[in-house]
Amino acid sequence: MTRMRLTVVAALATLLASLGLHPLFEGSGWAWSGLGAIIAVAAGGALARRLRLPTAAASLVASAALLVYLTVRYAPGQALLAVAPTPGSLARLARLLSEGWEAAGRYAAPVPRGAGIELLATLGIGTVAVLVDLLAVQLRRAAPAGLPLLALYSVPAAIREENLSWVAFALGAAGFLALLLTDSREQVGLWGHPVPGRHGGGDGRARVNARSLTAAGRRLGLAAVAIAVIVPATVPGIHPRGLLDLGGGGGDGGSQTVTTPDPLVSLKRELTRLSDQVVLTYRTDDPSPDYLRLYALDRFDGDRWTYSPLRSTPDDRVAGRTLPAPPGLLTARTYAVTTRVSVAENVRNMTFLPAPYAPSRVSVKGDWRVDPESLMIYSLRDDAGGRTYSVTSVRAEPTARQLAQAGPAAADVLRRHLRLPSDIPQPVRRLADEVTEGARSQYEQAMMLQRWFAAEGGFVYDLNAAAPRGTSDLVDFLLVSKRGYCEQFAASMAMMARILGIPARVAMGYTRGSQGPDGRWVVRSRDAHAWPELYFEGAGWVRFEPTPAGTAGQGTATVPRYARPAAEEEDRPRDGEESPTAPSSSGEAERPATRPGSREPADAGDAGRAGAADDGAEDGDRLVVGWLAGGALVLLFLATPLAARLLTRRRRWSRALSSAAADGRPAARGPGGRREPSIAAAGDAAALAHAAWQELRADAIDHGVDWRSGDSPRAAARRITESLNLTGPAVEALQRLAVAEERARYATVPAPPDTLREDLRIVHEAFGAAVDLPTRWRARLAPPSALESLRETGRRAVGAVDGLALIRSRDRGRRELRRR
C-alpha cells in the first residue's frame, strides 16, 4: 500500500510537470497521449514491485510498458496482435520520430499537430515518468526525482522567448512538493506511532503535536512556491521588466539582450497555413506600397540566417521621438509615407512590428523600441496582436544610374555584412562569377543575380521544399534541385552577393498584400515573405526580388522600379559612353579596382575578408572563453564535495584546538621537559579525541565501511577490523583512537592526544588499501561524508523552522489559556 500511494503521487507529479510543455504544441492530443504514457509506466512499475523484482528489472518493466503503449497507439498495424512490438513496429516508430524531429526543427512553437510531433512529446514525457518512478519509488530518493521533472520545464524555457506560465510552474512545483511530502510521511510512518513527550499535560506527558508540524511543512512549501513565482516577476534584473515594470526593460541605463525564436522557422508555416487568415490591414498614402518588414537578418553562420543580438536599453524607446536615420541613405530621392496598420486580434507572439522601411517615427501604445542599425521595431513585453499603430517612413527612390555609380561602403558595413563561413564550396563561388560575368558594377551584378533566380536559372517555386539548414542545403538548391520558396531564393541571393563583395542581408516580413474596394490593403498568411536587401552607398539598403511572382511563385511579390530590366537598360551606358563606374573629374569617389580574372572589387573583397577574419577571430575567442568558463564551472561543481570535506576537517580540528585556548591549559611537555610542538601543545585532549573520532567516522563513510552510530568505540573498532581484515599497525592505531574516544567520554583524565593525527593517517591508508579502486577515488574526489554534512545542515535548518513553529503554537496555546 505504501509503494502504491507513492507510485500514484509520482505519476501525478510527472503529469503536472508535463503541463509546462503546452506552449510548444497546437491542440491537446499530445497531453492525452502523454497521460497514457504516464499511466502505462506507473502500471508497469507497480506490477514489477508486486512481483518483488530487483530495481533494475523494475525499471526495465516500466520501460517495456511504455514501449507497448507507444506500439499500441502509433504502430498497431505492424505489431504482433496489435500489441507486441516487432521489427516492423519499431521501424514505424523510428520513422514517426524522424518526422517529428524534422517538424520540430522546421516550425516555430507552437508546432502543428502530427503523429510524429505527438510521438516525440509522448516519448519524452514517458521517459521522464520512468526516471521519476525509478528515483522516487524504487530507490526512495524523492528529492533527486526533481531533476527529470525540471527537464520538462527546460525545453519550453530554451525554445520560447516568453517566460514560462506561473500557473504551469506552480502546478509542477505543487506536484513535486506532494511527492516529497508523501515520501517523508511514509518513511516516518515506518517507525510506528509518535512517542509521547515529557512536557505538558495533566499526566506529565503530551503527544507530539503532529498537526502543527504538518501545518508548518505545508506553509513552508507554499511559501517556497510563492517566492519562486513572485520574486522573479517583481525584482528588476531577474525578470526582464518586473511585474510592475520596475526594471524598465533592463533597468534605467542598463541593457538587455533581445532574443526571439528563429524568424525563418515559421515562414513556411505561414505560407502553407490552410486557413490563410488575415494577419493585418493597413491604409497608406503611398500609391505603390512597399513590403512590410519585420526582421533584418544580417548573420549567416553556415547554418541559418539570423540577426545579431540586440542590446536593448531604455534610450531605444520609439515613443515621442524621431528614429535614427537609415544608414547609407544620403543622395537618393526620398519622400515621406504614412501607414496606419491594424494587426488582427488572433495574431500571437508578434513582438516585432511590421513596418515599411525605413521607419522614421512610430506612434504605438506600449514599450516598443528600435534597433539603431537595422531599424527593426520590437518590444520586450508587448505583443502586436490587436494593436493599431501609425508609422511614418522614409521611402527611397534610387535610380539605376545612382546604384551603378555608388561608391564603396564604409569599413564597418563591409566587415559586418560580408561575413561568410569558410566552408562555402568552390562550385558556388564559381557559379557567382559565372552568373554575373560581364557586369561592370555591383548594381549590374545584383541585377544579373535577380534575373538568374527569377527567370533564367530554371528555378521552380515549390512550397514542398524543405527549409535550408546549412550551406549544403543551399548548394543543393543552387546546383541540383533548383526547387524552393522565398527563403531559399532570398538566402541564396544574399549569400552569392556577399561572395561578390556586395554587402547583403535577408529581410523577412510581408508583401504589400492586396487592395480592397475601399482602398484598404489586406495582408494574409500567404503574403509572408523573405527577400534580400543589398547595400549601396548613397541609397542605403535597397530591396531586390529574386523570387518568382504571380501564379507560378509568390503571388503578391513585386519588383521595385530600380530593379526592373527597363530601368537597367535606360541607364546602361551606350557604346562610346563612359561607364558609370569610371571616376569623374569632379572628384567623385573612385570605384575600387577589380582583381584580374575576378569580378570582386579588390577593396571590398579585402575588407570583407578582413572583416570576416576579424569576426571569425572574435567568434573563436568567444568560443574559447565560453569553453574555458564552462570547464571551470564543471570543475568547480566536481570539486565541491572535496572542498566541503576539507573545510569540515579543518573546522573540526580548529574548534578542538580553540577549546584548549579557552580553558588556558598549559602546553604539553615531552621527555626531558621540553615543549612538544605537536597538537597537544595547544589542544584539549578530550576535544581532540572527539575530533579524531569524528574524522575516523567520516573517513570510514567515505570508504564505504559499515558504521553504526549505536556502537561503542571499541565495538566500532572491532567491527571495522573484522570487515576490512586489518592487521598490524592499522589495528593498533585504530585501537588507540577507540581508547582515546572512550576515555574522553567516560574517564576523568583523557588519553594523551599526541599520536591522534598519525593514527588517523595510518588508518586512512589502511582503508585505501582495503577497498577497490573506484571506492578509493570516490573517497578522494566525491566523499559521501560531505554530502551527509550538507544533508545534516539542511535538516538542522528545517528543524529550526519547525522549532519556531512549535514555539509559536505553544505561545498561542498559553495565550488562549490565559484568556479562559
Coordinates of all heavy atoms in Angstrom, one line a residue, residues 604-667:
A604 N 36.7 46.0 -51.6 CA 35.6 45.4 -50.9 C 35.9 44.0 -50.5 O 35.6 43.5 -49.4 CB 34.3 45.4 -51.8
G605 N 36.5 43.2 -51.4 CA 36.8 41.8 -51.1 C 37.8 41.8 -49.9 O 37.7 41.0 -49.0
D606 N 38.9 42.6 -50.0 CA 39.8 42.6 -48.9 C 39.2 43.0 -47.6 O 39.5 42.4 -46.6 CB 41.0 43.5 -49.2 CG 41.8 43.0 -50.4 OD1 41.7 41.8 -50.7 OD2 42.6 43.8 -51.0
A607 N 38.4 44.0 -47.7 CA 37.7 44.5 -46.4 C 36.8 43.4 -45.9 O 36.7 43.2 -44.7 CB 37.0 45.8 -46.7
G608 N 36.1 42.8 -46.8 CA 35.1 41.7 -46.4 C 35.9 40.6 -45.8 O 35.5 40.0 -44.7
R609 N 37.0 40.1 -46.5 CA 37.7 39.0 -45.9 C 38.4 39.4 -44.6 O 38.5 38.6 -43.6 CB 38.8 38.5 -46.9 CG 38.1 37.6 -48.0 CD 39.2 37.0 -48.9 NE 39.8 38.1 -49.7 CZ 39.3 38.4 -50.9 NH1 38.2 37.9 -51.3 NH2 39.9 39.3 -51.6
A610 N 38.9 40.6 -44.5 CA 39.5 41.1 -43.3 C 38.5 41.1 -42.2 O 38.7 40.7 -41.0 CB 40.2 42.4 -43.4
G611 N 37.3 41.7 -42.5 CA 36.2 41.7 -41.5 C 35.8 40.3 -41.1 O 35.6 40.1 -39.9
A612 N 35.7 39.4 -42.1 CA 35.3 38.0 -41.7 C 36.3 37.4 -40.9 O 36.0 36.7 -39.9 CB 35.1 37.2 -43.0
A613 N 37.6 37.7 -41.2 CA 38.7 37.1 -40.4 C 38.6 37.7 -39.0 O 38.8 36.9 -38.0 CB 40.1 37.4 -41.0
D614 N 38.4 39.0 -38.9 CA 38.4 39.6 -37.5 C 37.2 39.0 -36.8 O 37.3 38.7 -35.6 CB 38.2 41.1 -37.6 CG 39.5 41.8 -38.2 OD1 40.5 41.1 -38.2 OD2 39.4 42.9 -38.7
D615 N 36.0 39.0 -37.4 CA 34.9 38.4 -36.7 C 35.1 37.0 -36.4 O 34.6 36.5 -35.4 CB 33.6 38.6 -37.6 CG 33.3 40.1 -37.8 OD1 33.6 40.9 -36.9 OD2 32.7 40.4 -38.8
G616 N 35.7 36.2 -37.3 CA 35.9 34.8 -37.0 C 36.9 34.7 -35.8 O 36.7 33.8 -35.0
A617 N 37.9 35.6 -35.8 CA 38.8 35.5 -34.6 C 38.0 35.9 -33.3 O 38.2 35.2 -32.3 CB 39.9 36.5 -34.8
E618 N 37.1 36.9 -33.4 CA 36.4 37.3 -32.3 C 35.5 36.1 -31.8 O 35.4 35.8 -30.7 CB 35.5 38.5 -32.5 CG 36.4 39.8 -32.7 CD 35.5 40.9 -33.1 OE1 34.3 40.8 -33.2 OE2 36.1 42.0 -33.4
D619 N 34.8 35.5 -32.8 CA 34.0 34.3 -32.5 C 34.8 33.2 -31.9 O 34.3 32.5 -30.9 CB 33.2 33.8 -33.8 CG 32.2 34.8 -34.2 OD1 31.8 35.7 -33.4 OD2 31.8 34.7 -35.4
G620 N 36.0 33.0 -32.5 CA 36.8 31.9 -31.9 C 37.2 32.2 -30.5 O 37.3 31.4 -29.6
D621 N 37.6 33.5 -30.2 CA 38.0 33.9 -28.9 C 36.8 33.7 -27.9 O 37.0 33.2 -26.8 CB 38.4 35.4 -28.8 CG 39.7 35.6 -29.6 OD1 40.4 34.5 -29.8 OD2 40.0 36.7 -30.0
R622 N 35.6 34.1 -28.4 CA 34.4 33.9 -27.5 C 34.2 32.5 -27.3 O 33.8 32.1 -26.2 CB 33.2 34.6 -28.1 CG 33.2 36.1 -28.0 CD 31.9 36.7 -28.4 NE 31.5 36.5 -29.8 CZ 31.8 37.4 -30.7 NH1 32.4 38.5 -30.4 NH2 31.5 37.2 -32.0
L623 N 34.4 31.6 -28.3 CA 34.1 30.2 -28.1 C 35.1 29.6 -27.1 O 34.8 28.8 -26.2 CB 34.3 29.5 -29.5 CG 34.0 28.0 -29.5 CD1 32.6 27.7 -29.1 CD2 34.3 27.4 -30.9
V624 N 36.4 30.0 -27.2 CA 37.4 29.6 -26.3 C 37.1 30.0 -24.9 O 37.1 29.2 -23.9 CB 38.8 30.0 -26.7 CG1 39.8 29.7 -25.6 CG2 39.2 29.4 -28.0
V625 N 36.7 31.3 -24.7 CA 36.3 31.8 -23.4 C 35.1 31.0 -22.8 O 35.1 30.7 -21.7 CB 36.1 33.3 -23.5 CG1 35.5 33.8 -22.1 CG2 37.4 34.0 -23.8
G626 N 34.2 30.8 -23.7 CA 33.0 30.0 -23.3 C 33.3 28.6 -22.8 O 32.8 28.2 -21.8
W627 N 34.2 27.9 -23.6 CA 34.6 26.6 -23.2 C 35.4 26.6 -21.9 O 35.2 25.8 -21.0 CB 35.4 25.9 -24.3 CG 34.5 25.3 -25.3 CD1 34.3 25.8 -26.6 CD2 33.8 24.1 -25.2 NE1 33.5 24.9 -27.3 CE2 33.1 23.9 -26.5 CE3 33.6 23.2 -24.2 CZ2 32.3 22.8 -26.7 CZ3 32.8 22.1 -24.4 CH2 32.1 21.9 -25.7
L628 N 36.3 27.6 -21.7 CA 37.0 27.7 -20.5 C 36.1 28.0 -19.3 O 36.3 27.4 -18.2 CB 38.1 28.8 -20.7 CG 39.2 28.5 -21.6 CD1 40.2 29.7 -21.7 CD2 40.0 27.3 -21.2
A629 N 35.2 28.9 -19.5 CA 34.3 29.2 -18.4 C 33.4 28.0 -18.1 O 33.2 27.7 -16.9 CB 33.4 30.4 -18.8
G630 N 32.9 27.3 -19.1 CA 32.1 26.1 -18.8 C 32.9 25.0 -18.1 O 32.5 24.4 -17.2
G631 N 34.2 24.9 -18.6 CA 35.0 23.9 -18.0 C 35.3 24.2 -16.5 O 35.4 23.3 -15.7
A632 N 35.5 25.5 -16.3 CA 35.8 25.9 -14.9 C 34.6 25.7 -14.0 O 34.7 25.2 -12.8 CB 36.2 27.4 -14.9
L633 N 33.4 25.9 -14.5 CA 32.2 25.7 -13.7 C 32.0 24.2 -13.5 O 31.7 23.8 -12.3 CB 30.9 26.2 -14.5 CG 30.8 27.7 -14.5 CD1 29.6 28.1 -15.4 CD2 30.7 28.3 -13.1
V634 N 32.3 23.3 -14.5 CA 32.2 21.9 -14.2 C 33.2 21.4 -13.2 O 32.9 20.7 -12.3 CB 32.4 21.1 -15.6 CG1 32.6 19.6 -15.3 CG2 31.3 21.4 -16.5
L635 N 34.5 21.9 -13.3 CA 35.5 21.6 -12.3 C 35.1 22.1 -10.9 O 35.3 21.4 -9.9 CB 36.8 22.2 -12.7 CG 37.5 21.5 -14.0 CD1 38.8 22.3 -14.3 CD2 37.7 20.1 -13.8
L636 N 34.5 23.3 -10.9 CA 34.1 23.8 -9.6 C 33.0 22.9 -9.0 O 33.0 22.6 -7.8 CB 33.6 25.2 -9.7 CG 33.1 25.9 -8.5 CD1 34.3 26.0 -7.5 CD2 32.6 27.3 -8.8
F637 N 32.1 22.5 -9.8 CA 31.0 21.6 -9.4 C 31.5 20.3 -8.9 O 31.1 19.8 -7.8 CB 30.0 21.4 -10.5 CG 28.9 20.4 -10.1 CD1 27.8 20.8 -9.3 CD2 28.9 19.1 -10.6 CE1 26.8 20.0 -9.0 CE2 27.9 18.3 -10.3 CZ 26.8 18.7 -9.4
L638 N 32.5 19.7 -9.6 CA 33.0 18.4 -9.2 C 33.9 18.5 -8.0 O 34.0 17.6 -7.2 CB 33.9 17.9 -10.4 CG 33.1 17.5 -11.7 CD1 34.1 17.0 -12.7 CD2 32.1 16.4 -11.4
A639 N 34.5 19.7 -7.8 CA 35.4 19.9 -6.6 C 34.6 20.3 -5.4 O 35.2 20.3 -4.3 CB 36.4 21.0 -6.9
T640 N 33.3 20.5 -5.5 CA 32.6 21.0 -4.3 C 32.5 20.0 -3.2 O 32.8 20.3 -2.0 CB 31.1 21.3 -4.7 OG1 31.2 22.4 -5.7 CG2 30.3 21.8 -3.5
P641 N 32.3 18.7 -3.4 CA 32.3 17.7 -2.3 C 33.7 17.6 -1.6 O 33.8 17.6 -0.4 CB 31.9 16.4 -2.9 CG 31.2 16.8 -4.2 CD 31.8 18.0 -4.7
L642 N 34.7 17.6 -2.4 CA 36.1 17.6 -1.8 C 36.4 18.8 -1.0 O 36.9 18.7 0.1 CB 37.1 17.4 -2.9 CG 38.6 17.3 -2.5 CD1 38.8 16.2 -1.6 CD2 39.5 17.2 -3.7
A643 N 36.0 20.0 -1.5 CA 36.2 21.2 -0.8 C 35.4 21.2 0.5 O 35.9 21.7 1.6 CB 35.9 22.4 -1.7
A644 N 34.2 20.7 0.4 CA 33.4 20.7 1.7 C 34.0 19.7 2.7 O 34.0 20.0 3.9 CB 32.0 20.2 1.3
R645 N 34.5 18.6 2.2 CA 35.2 17.7 3.1 C 36.4 18.3 3.8 O 36.6 18.2 5.0 CB 35.6 16.4 2.3 CG 36.3 15.4 3.1 CD 35.4 14.6 4.1 NE 36.1 13.5 4.7 CZ 36.8 13.6 5.9 NH1 36.8 14.8 6.5 NH2 37.3 12.6 6.4
L646 N 37.3 18.9 3.0 CA 38.4 19.6 3.6 C 38.1 20.7 4.5 O 38.7 20.8 5.6 CB 39.3 20.1 2.4 CG 39.9 19.1 1.5 CD1 40.7 19.7 0.3 CD2 40.8 18.1 2.2
L647 N 37.1 21.5 4.2 CA 36.6 22.5 5.1 C 36.1 22.0 6.4 O 36.4 22.6 7.5 CB 35.6 23.4 4.3 CG 35.1 24.6 5.1 CD1 36.2 25.6 5.3 CD2 34.0 25.3 4.3
T648 N 35.3 20.9 6.3 CA 34.8 20.3 7.5 C 35.9 19.8 8.4 O 35.9 20.0 9.7 CB 33.8 19.2 7.2 OG1 32.8 19.7 6.4 CG2 33.2 18.6 8.4
R649 N 36.9 19.2 7.8 CA 38.0 18.6 8.6 C 38.8 19.8 9.3 O 39.1 19.7 10.5 CB 39.0 17.9 7.7 CG 40.2 17.3 8.4 CD 41.1 16.7 7.3 NE 40.5 15.7 6.6 CZ 40.9 15.1 5.4 NH1 42.0 15.6 4.9 NH2 40.3 14.2 4.8
R650 N 39.0 20.8 8.5 CA 39.8 22.0 9.1 C 39.0 22.6 10.2 O 39.5 23.0 11.3 CB 40.1 23.0 8.0 CG 40.9 24.1 8.5 CD 41.3 25.0 7.3 NE 42.2 26.1 7.8 CZ 42.7 27.0 7.0 NH1 42.5 26.9 5.7 NH2 43.4 28.0 7.4
R651 N 37.7 22.8 10.0 CA 36.9 23.4 11.1 C 36.8 22.5 12.3 O 36.8 23.0 13.4 CB 35.5 23.7 10.5 CG 34.6 24.5 11.5 CD 33.2 24.6 11.0 NE 33.1 25.3 9.7 CZ 32.6 24.7 8.6 NH1 32.1 23.5 8.6 NH2 32.6 25.4 7.4
R652 N 36.7 21.2 12.1 CA 36.7 20.3 13.2 C 37.9 20.4 14.1 O 37.8 20.5 15.3 CB 36.5 18.9 12.7 CG 36.4 17.8 13.7 CD 36.1 16.5 13.0 NE 34.8 16.4 12.4 CZ 34.5 15.9 11.2 NH1 35.5 15.3 10.5 NH2 33.3 15.9 10.8
W653 N 39.1 20.4 13.5 CA 40.3 20.5 14.3 C 40.5 21.9 14.9 O 41.0 22.0 16.0 CB 41.5 20.2 13.4 CG 41.7 18.7 13.1 CD1 41.5 18.1 11.9 CD2 42.0 17.7 14.0 NE1 41.7 16.8 12.0 CE2 42.1 16.5 13.3 CE3 42.3 17.6 15.4 CZ2 42.4 15.2 13.9 CZ3 42.7 16.4 16.0 CH2 42.7 15.2 15.2
S654 N 40.1 22.9 14.2 CA 40.2 24.3 14.7 C 39.3 24.4 16.0 O 39.8 25.1 16.9 CB 39.8 25.3 13.6 OG 40.6 25.2 12.5
R655 N 38.1 23.9 16.0 CA 37.3 24.0 17.1 C 37.9 23.3 18.3 O 37.9 23.7 19.5 CB 35.9 23.5 16.8 CG 35.0 24.4 16.1 CD 33.5 24.0 16.2 NE 33.3 22.7 15.6 CZ 32.7 22.6 14.4 NH1 32.4 23.7 13.7 NH2 32.5 21.4 13.9
A656 N 38.5 22.1 18.0 CA 39.1 21.3 19.1 C 40.3 22.1 19.7 O 40.6 22.1 20.9 CB 39.5 20.0 18.6
L657 N 41.1 22.7 18.8 CA 42.3 23.4 19.3 C 41.9 24.6 20.0 O 42.6 25.0 21.0 CB 43.2 23.7 18.1 CG 43.9 22.6 17.4 CD1 44.5 23.0 16.1 CD2 44.9 21.9 18.3
S658 N 40.8 25.3 19.6 CA 40.5 26.6 20.3 C 39.9 26.3 21.7 O 39.9 27.2 22.5 CB 39.4 27.3 19.4 OG 38.2 26.6 19.3
S659 N 39.3 25.1 21.9 CA 38.7 24.9 23.2 C 39.8 24.9 24.3 O 39.6 25.3 25.4 CB 38.0 23.5 23.2 OG 38.9 22.5 22.9
A660 N 41.0 24.4 24.0 CA 42.1 24.4 25.0 C 42.5 25.8 25.3 O 42.8 26.1 26.4 CB 43.3 23.6 24.5
A661 N 42.6 26.6 24.3 CA 43.0 28.0 24.5 C 42.0 28.7 25.4 O 42.4 29.5 26.3 CB 43.1 28.7 23.2
A662 N 40.7 28.4 25.3 CA 39.7 29.0 26.1 C 39.9 28.5 27.6 O 39.6 29.2 28.5 CB 38.3 28.6 25.6
D663 N 40.3 27.2 27.7 CA 40.5 26.6 29.1 C 41.8 27.1 29.7 O 42.1 26.8 30.9 CB 40.4 25.1 29.1 CG 39.1 24.6 28.7 OD1 38.1 25.4 28.8 OD2 38.9 23.5 28.2
G664 N 42.7 27.6 28.9 CA 44.0 28.0 29.4 C 44.9 26.9 29.8 O 45.7 27.0 30.8
R665 N 44.8 25.8 29.2 CA 45.6 24.6 29.5 C 47.1 24.8 29.1 O 47.4 25.4 28.0 CB 45.1 23.4 28.8 CG 43.7 23.0 29.3 CD 43.2 21.7 28.7 NE 41.9 21.4 29.2 CZ 41.5 20.3 29.7 NH1 42.3 19.4 29.9 NH2 40.2 20.1 30.1
P666 N 48.0 24.4 29.9 CA 49.4 24.6 29.6 C 49.8 23.6 28.4 O 49.2 22.6 28.2 CB 50.2 24.2 30.9 CG 49.2 23.3 31.6 CD 47.9 23.7 31.2
A667 N 50.9 24.0 27.8 CA 51.4 23.1 26.7 C 51.9 21.8 27.3 O 52.5 21.8 28.4 CB 52.5 23.9 25.9

